[in-house]
Amino acid sequence: MEEQLDIITIGESLIELSSDTNLARAEVFNKYYGGDTLVSAVAASRLGAKVGFVTRVGNDAFKDFLMDSWQAEGLDISQVKVANEQNGIYFVSKSADGEQEFVYYRKKIAPAKISIDDISEDYVKSARMVYSSGITQSLSLSAKEAVAKMFEVAHSNGVMTAYDPNYSAAISTPENARENFNELAPNLDILFMNTKYDAVSILELDSVENIIKKIWDKEILIVVLKSPEKGGYYVGYNGSITFVDFYTKSEDVVDTSCTGDTFNGAFLYGITQGYNPCEAARLASVAAGLQARGLGAVKSIPYASDVIAILKKGDN
């Protein structure tokens, strides 16, 4: 019998090289790692969740760095397999006009080899929650099949499921994103969506009420809409919609890379610990807001003590 896990995530890992100046002038980069569902895994783990991560890691010079880092974060990596492909990499920095700039190298990378062979039914059954994203599905057909199998196994065994389309025109099309979402929808309990990208591209709707109603009609119990335009999150469950403000305002933001993924991990932590969705969203808003005040996807993810101290003060 596997040890009880709170959350299992499946997805890609990438080496992150970050600089506080633009790429043309940068001479020194800070090395870390990223990847949307991996960031969510670390965010949940730093709050106290027991989290497993499923992926393929490349057998290159970065392999030991990645595996050692994940173990140091307390992630269960018993289901991580080594592939002979390379690890992906991305650069994040500030452009000449002060905006963030990203450069990705993620074609033919090890995580694209994720397949249904990586899905252990016993491992999935050992968790309270499984989570993945449209980015994971976009890695390859075999990765898409793996996500579908994980969610089918979870749903049929009473394990909660959560999903974020995480739509980006750089890696998918609205048609593919819609297909990916519809494939998983019958097995979904929690859905994260961005009103600016996901909802418009996948559901072709921009009204919060209409978006949430359409999702509820698909019998998805909990909906979280991230609204950059309104500066917060709409949380829909039990027939009601509640708004939770972003904790960090735009003038204090340093780096928004993977802030939404930090929110997702913190939210899922809250749900697995018995928080109701609004309570989980308030906790997650603080975690994501603190992460956005630092540079890098993972380095600035806060720990439980920092988040709980703010919640106890009521400063959220």
Side-chain angles (χ1 to χ4, degrees), residues 36-186:
D36 64 337
T37 60
L38 175 55
V39 170
S40 298
V42 173
S45 181
R46 288 189 181 181
L47 287 172
K50 294 180 180 179
V51 186
F53 181 52
V54 178
T55 193
R56 295 283 186 110
V57 65
N59 189 20
D60 62 17
F62 293 111
K63 181 192 73 174
D64 291 342
F65 163 68
L66 291 171
M67 300 282 275
D68 291 348
S69 296
W70 302 339
Q71 284 189 304
E73 288 289 350
L75 300 183
D76 179 85
I77 60 171
S78 62
Q79 304 301 301
V80 173
K81 296 180 180 178
V82 177
N84 286 325
E85 283 71 22
Q86 64 188 2
N87 290 294
I89 192 167
Y90 72 98
F91 296 83
V92 56
S93 66
K94 290 291 183 70
S95 65
D97 58 5
E99 296 296 318
Q100 280 186 285
E101 58 181 345
F102 297 88
V103 176
Y104 289 89
Y105 297 92
R106 58 188 296 274
K107 290 185 178 180
K108 299 181 179 179
I109 59 174
K113 294 296 183 179
I114 293 171
S115 74
I116 58 173
D117 294 335
D118 299 318
I119 307 303
S120 161
E121 293 196 12
D122 288 340
Y123 191 69
V124 173
K125 293 175 187 177
S126 76
R128 295 186 174 91
M129 177 84 67
V130 299
Y131 169 69
S132 194
S133 71
I135 288 180
T136 305
Q137 291 170 299
S138 74
L139 287 169
S140 62
L141 178 59
S142 65
K144 180 180 176 181
E145 292 172 344
V147 173
K149 179 178 179 180
M150 176 179 277
F151 279 58
E152 288 168 4
V153 171
H155 188 72
S156 63
N157 287 278
V159 176
M160 291 191 74
T161 59
Y163 174 72
D164 189 334
N166 219 342
Y167 175 76
S168 168
I171 63 173
S172 186
T173 65
E175 293 75 21
N176 287 340
R178 198 173 301 124
E179 176 185 318
N180 290 341
F181 166 65
N182 288 332
E183 180 179 40
L184 297 184

Side-chain angles (χ1 to χ4, degrees), residues 192-240:
F192 302 102
M193 271 195 163
N194 184 299
T195 55
K196 185 177 179 181
Y197 302 109
D198 300 325
V200 172
S201 299
I202 297 171
L203 301 179
E204 299 179 302
L205 296 171
D206 57 9
S207 161
V208 169
E209 291 76 12
N210 289 340
I211 293 167
I212 292 178
K213 183 179 184 303
K214 185 161 186 175
I215 294 168
W216 280 342
D217 287 345
K218 293 180 179 291
E219 299 184 352
I220 298 171
L221 304 177
I222 300 171
V223 187
V224 180
L225 295 183
K226 304 168 186 179
S227 178
E229 303 90 345
K230 298 296 183 180
Y233 311 89
Y234 291 94
V235 183
Y237 76 108
N238 280 350
S240 64

